[in-house]
Amino acid sequence: MKEKLEKELKDLIKKCDARLDELEREYGRQSGFIEWLQFRGISRRSFLKWSAIMSATLMLPPVFTKRVARAAEIAPRIPVIWLHFAECTGCTESILRSANPTIADIILDYLSLEYHDTVMAPSGEFAEKSLYDAMKKYKGKYICICEGSIPTNNNGNYLRIGSKAVTGLERAKEVVKDALAVISIGHCASYGGPQSAYPNPTGSKSINEALGINSVIIPGCPYNSSSLVGTVLYFLLFGKLPPTKGGRPVFAYGKRIHDTCPRRAHFDAGEFVRTWGDEAAKKGFCLYKVGCKGPLTYNNCNVPGWNEDISSPIRSGHGCIGCSEKAFWDKMAPLEKPIEARTLPGIEAVADHVGWALVGVAFAGMGIHAVYSHFKSKSINNQGEKPCCKNEENE
Amino acid sequence: MSYERVYRMNLIMRINHWLMVIAFVACAITGFYIAHPFLVFETGEIIDSYVMGYVRLIHYLGAIFLDVILIVWLYLFFFGHHAYFKFIFPFKPRLKEALQMLKHYFTLKPEDRPETGDRMDALNAWGFLLFIILFKALMLITGFAMLSPQITSANTAIPGGQYVFSGIGAIAYLLFGDLATIRLAHHVMAWILIVFVIVHVYLEVWREAIWKEGDMSIVFSGYKFVRKKK
Ligand code: SF4
């Protein structure tokens, strides 16, 4: 068993090295990436540390640290076309605007963004042109990253983009067609986002649903940059997108928030925050009673953490809102109350109220039936019969 | 007037019934605690208390009991002392019998009461089948779906146990879609089961009081009495 695993690992390493060599030949060794990092205040040492964290995040053994670092140096060379559809641009903003950008952010910043609606010099016609140029130049080679959902009602007229005012649907189809790989990031692109919440007047759909493709989805509102960079690194290392479950990469979405939560011990101990800012909140107790949806949510916020492990939503004191789960606006709401407070679909009532009402109805019905039975059996008795049995002789 | 003593439930069925009662009550109480943790122990030292942990343990133990009971019940359904399926099939006459029994609950007329002799009447059998099987099986499936994320090869005693949980849980995902809805369904079904239990107890007491044939003692001694016909 052990030998088999060792052999597998060796094969994997060999394959990975061969692939990195090939990539380097194709794109050339990235020059200046380390200097660029240093310019942004990141030493080589912290870059290597980050590589180790990243390989752990990808569930790879430590021998991959060097290779992850190498892949990270190649990453900015991969042509990327980054599209925006119906969304708040929060996913891009959360990376661009970080005061202390993490290495993952910098890599995303520094990606060879051939086209990115938010950060590009040209505008109007010229922006359009640069998109088509990039698509032609890197046909079949670029990675398409999609952000935002696609409105489909009314022929997709709810979203029109660019100087030619094409609909989002047309734009997406066009660009995705020639892409090497498609990655949908953020809740909107993955599952439709808030605009697809009930009643969804624009008919917004996720990228996969709208186009009928099978892209890797990285949900979250916003997504964690380490998950996206992890996916890209995985792609560089092994030449394929990471294994997924329900479309989400297993390395990032394989476990629930609840399973890796730093407050979990308080959950098991039965120690809960009851209102914001109470004594229990100061002690860092579990947030289950103030609406934490960690038990229902698959994500890795607690493991690599956010912004290079500075914090994560639960660590900072607010419960999980389940932003990486499908239709969380509908299914996890109200976000700051326990999931019990969710109304039952169709009847707009809370399960417990319905339950108590059912019990009440049952008791009322039974009471009425009991009283009824009492008088009815008396009257039957008076007629000289018994309610119990047929053809009985009155002895 | 003379009575005949008829054997209705054998030992296995009675043990099954009472174990079900204990496990059900345990699961209901602990389930409500898990949904609304009403006891809050704020020692601040997690080493001192393990309330939720124990409560969940009891919930799982109760659930495992209920699952085993469900399997025994299914066995008894076909091969029991009084095989249940005989109370349900042939379909048509039994359905008529059930409707007649329903009518009897309201008219209380002796001629409406179907002749069942020493077996269970069809209405009861239908009710048990519907609720115990449907809801308990659904409870099992949804419960497994909620448990499966925390079951890995590292913490299951049965080799391959994680696949049992995730495999059975997958059915729940097919039925309800996502974990939040599965959890809600589990909660709603718990209420339906509770209402069912209340109505069941009432109806048995009602039979005892109105028929005066010792229906309540079926579940203790296994016997009841039926009046001999002329
Ligand atoms: S804070 Fe949320 S995720 Fe953490 S233990 Fe409590 S319920 Fe679970």
Side-chain angles (χ1 to χ4, degrees), chain A residues 256-268 271-272 285-289 291-296 302 314 318-320:
Chain A
R256 292 176 306 170
I257 296 288
H258 192 56
D259 296 329
T260 54
C261 180
R263 296 178 188 241
R264 178 59 187 265
H266 290 293
F267 174 84
D268 286 333
E271 297 177 330
F272 301 99
F285 288 176
C286 167
L287 301 158
Y288 187 64
K289 281 179 81 111
C292 180
K293 306 295 187 296
L296 308 166
N302 296 317
I314 284 175
H318 191 285
C320 170

Side-chain angles (χ1 to χ4, degrees), chain A residues 255-256 258-259 264-272 274 280 283 285 288-289 295-298 326 331-332 338-340 342-345 351-352 355-356 358-359 362-363 366 369-370 372-374 376-377 380 383 385-393 395, chain B residues 1-2 32-46 49-53 56 104-115 146 149-150 152 173 178-181 183-184 187-188 191-192 194-195 198-199 202 206 210-211 213 227 230:
Chain A
K255 277 200 178 296
R256 292 176 306 170
H258 192 56
D259 296 329
R264 178 59 187 265
H266 290 293
F267 174 84
D268 286 333
E271 297 177 330
F272 301 99
R274 273 171 289 183
K283 285 186 189 153
F285 288 176
Y288 187 64
K289 281 179 81 111
L296 308 166
T297 307
Y298 286 85
K326 193 164 189 174
K331 298 208 162 131
M332 305 284 182
I339 187 84
E340 264 70 45
R342 174 181 166 194
T343 54
L344 295 181
D352 281 334
W356 283 116
L358 279 178
V359 170
F363 269 106
M366 284 171 352
H369 188 243
Y372 167 81
S373 302
H374 177 74
K376 185 81 180 176
S377 71
I380 290 176
Q383 289 164 14
E385 284 186 78
K386 285 216 168 117
C388 50
C389 34
K390 289 181 199 173
N391 311 328
E392 192 183 315
E393 281 176 46
E395 285 172 53
Chain B
M1 187 162 64
S2 61
F32 272 108
Y33 179 79
I34 295 167
H36 306 271
F38 42 82
L39 303 166
V40 180
F41 293 87
E42 290 179 350
T43 62
E45 295 297 334
I46 40 195
S49 59
Y50 192 58
V51 183
M52 187 57 111
R56 289 173 74 215
H104 173 72
Y105 281 142
F106 292 97
T107 62
L108 276 76
K109 290 250 169 62
E111 57 268 25
D112 286 334
R113 186 176 157 200
E115 198 72 54
M146 284 189 284
Q150 71 194 62
T152 63
Y173 279 93
D178 57 284
L179 207 52
T181 312
R183 197 205 160 291
L184 194 69
H187 199 79
V188 171
W191 275 109
I192 295 176
I194 287 169
V195 171
I198 292 170
V199 172
Y202 169 74
W206 185 90
I210 300 290
W211 294 354
E213 292 180 345
R227 288 180 177 81
K230 249 197 315 202

Side-chain angles (χ1 to χ4, degrees), chain A residues 39-40 113 121 135 160 203 259 295 304-305 312 326 355 362 373:
Chain A
F39 172 68
R40 304 286 291 257
L113 283 173
M135 273 168 60
R160 287 202 170 268
D259 296 329
S312 73
K326 193 164 189 174
S373 302

Side-chain angles (χ1 to χ4, degrees), chain A residues 82 84 87 89-96 104-105 107-109 111 116 145-148 183-190 217-232 253 299-301 305-307 323-324:
Chain A
W82 191 307
H84 293 253
E87 50 133 3
T89 323
C91 288
T92 294
E93 291 279 317
S94 86
I95 288 164
L96 293 182
D105 296 349
I107 287 180
L108 290 180
D109 254 7
L111 279 182
H116 188 299
I145 296 182
C146 296
E147 196 182 324
I183 304 175
S184 309
I185 59 161
H187 191 271
C188 300
S190 309
I217 58 178
I218 303 187
C221 196
Y223 72 100
N224 193 342
S225 53
S226 68
S227 300
L228 175 58
V229 170
T231 305
V232 172
Y253 300 91
N299 207 338
N300 63 348
C301 303
W306 283 75
N307 299 327
C323 71
S324 58

